[in-house]
Amino acid sequence: DVKVTQSSRYLVKRTGEKVFLECVQDMDHENMFWYRQDPGLGLRLIYFSYDVKMKEKGDIPEGYSVSREKKERFSLILESASTNQTSMYLCASSFGGQGGHEQYFGPGTRLTVT
Amino acid sequence: LAKTTQPISMDSYEGQEVNITCSHNNIATNDYITWYQQFPSQGPRFIIQGYKTKVTNEVASLFIPADRKSSTLSLPRVSLSDTAVYYCLVGDVTNAGKSTFGDGTTLTVKP
């Protein structure tokens, strides 16, 4: 069974703090993704990585950065958290090539910025 | 990028067949259509994927007409546990970071 784990289910941070969200997958997947999900806005892609140290911006990268130093781990960084980054953050992974759309999602991290 | 449109919500009753349609008028030649299911407080779960015509697995069927401008997810004989949000995802599977999720359809199954 594919397992995608996220470091926290719930997180509360203050405005201006640097926030790290960690994601680990155990299936040797090439692709990893970070999404945010807000009511009425569906799933929006923040960043995508198709290999170690490789990353591409998604639809809403502003205010975020990512790091992928090892194949199994993909980190999302909020350099200076703001209240409009309060959201549910979902990590996913998939194989590369033809398997790119069979994404396996983690349980999500609900981040509240006060 | 293919933009997708789905109904916001649908209601059904236990035992009925449910069809959820996703419109993707500007789908590209290399794009596939994938559907996910999401329960509250969980991440989405892959259901089915297709390129053209019909695909069936143990959970659902996916119908894609010849022009590929829409697709229909069919859930046979739904139960209360099928109450969830259903998303379609359209894009090139070899460039998954450029794919677009629809806004999702909330399916409510009633007894």
Side-chain angles (χ1 to χ4, degrees):
Chain A
D1 239 12
V2 176
K3 186 157 280 186
V4 178
T5 56
Q6 297 184 226
S7 48
S8 306
R9 288 302 303 270
Y10 300 93
L11 208 52
V12 179
K13 294 292 182 181
R14 294 195 179 276
T15 301
E17 278 193 84
K18 190 168 187 176
V19 181
F20 293 87
L21 302 183
E22 305 283 340
C23 175
V24 178
Q25 51 95 2
D26 67 358
M27 276 301 291
D28 202 34
H29 283 165
E30 289 80 13
N31 295 333
M32 295 191 76
F33 308 79
W34 274 107
Y35 295 91
R36 69 177 278 178
Q37 186 171 36
D38 301 287
L41 296 177
L43 284 151
R44 294 181 292 168
L45 181 65
I46 305 172
Y47 267 98
F48 163 63
S49 169
Y50 53 91
D51 201 350
V52 175
K53 297 190 187 295
M54 306 305 291
K55 61 186 180 185
E56 286 187 4
K57 293 180 180 178
D59 299 323
I60 50 165
E62 296 79 20
Y64 304 95
S65 62
V66 289
S67 172
R68 193 165 179 203
E69 296 296 318
K70 294 185 177 181
K71 192 174 185 179
E72 67 271 18
R73 189 180 297 270
F74 193 34
S75 302
L76 179 70
I77 303 152
L78 287 65
E79 295 290 341
S80 178
S82 64
T83 55
N84 63 12
Q85 292 179 309
T86 291
S87 186
M88 170 68 82
Y89 290 88
L90 289 158
C91 174
S93 69
S94 72
F95 284 115
Q98 294 294 319
H101 272 193
E102 189 166 348
Q103 296 178 26
Y104 293 83
F105 283 80
T109 295
R110 186 165 294 282
L111 173 67
T112 302
V113 182
T114 61
Chain B
L1 297 177
K3 173 153 175 57
T4 59
T5 303
Q6 303 176 232
I8 293 173
S9 63
M10 296 180 67
D11 289 343
S12 182
Y13 291 93
E14 283 191 289
Q16 289 188 333
E17 179 185 74
V18 170
N19 296 311
I20 306 174
T21 298
C22 182
S23 297
H24 28 81
N25 289 322
N26 59 338
I27 189 169
T29 303
N30 292 336
D31 288 351
Y32 279 68
I33 300 124
T34 311
W35 284 83
Y36 287 80
Q37 175 191 55
Q38 185 179 26
F39 297 113
S41 301
Q42 294 185 22
R45 182 176 71 101
F46 172 90
I47 301 174
I48 197 167
Q49 178 178 290
Y51 182 80
K52 62 180 179 181
T53 63
K54 177 183 175 182
V55 179
T56 297
N57 62 22
E58 64 278 4
V59 176
S61 295
L62 178 59
F63 297 92
I64 305 167
D67 66 7
R68 303 198 330 120
K69 293 184 184 297
S70 66
S71 57
T72 300
L73 174 72
S74 181
L75 304 172
R77 297 180 300 282
V78 293
S79 64
L80 297 176
S81 62
D82 292 314
T83 293
V85 181
Y86 293 83
Y87 292 95
C88 68
L89 173 66
V90 178
D92 184 345
V93 295
T94 64
N95 192 4
K98 299 297 183 188
S99 301
T100 307
F101 273 95
D103 290 337
T105 298
T106 300
L107 171 66
T108 303
V109 180
K110 302 175 182 178

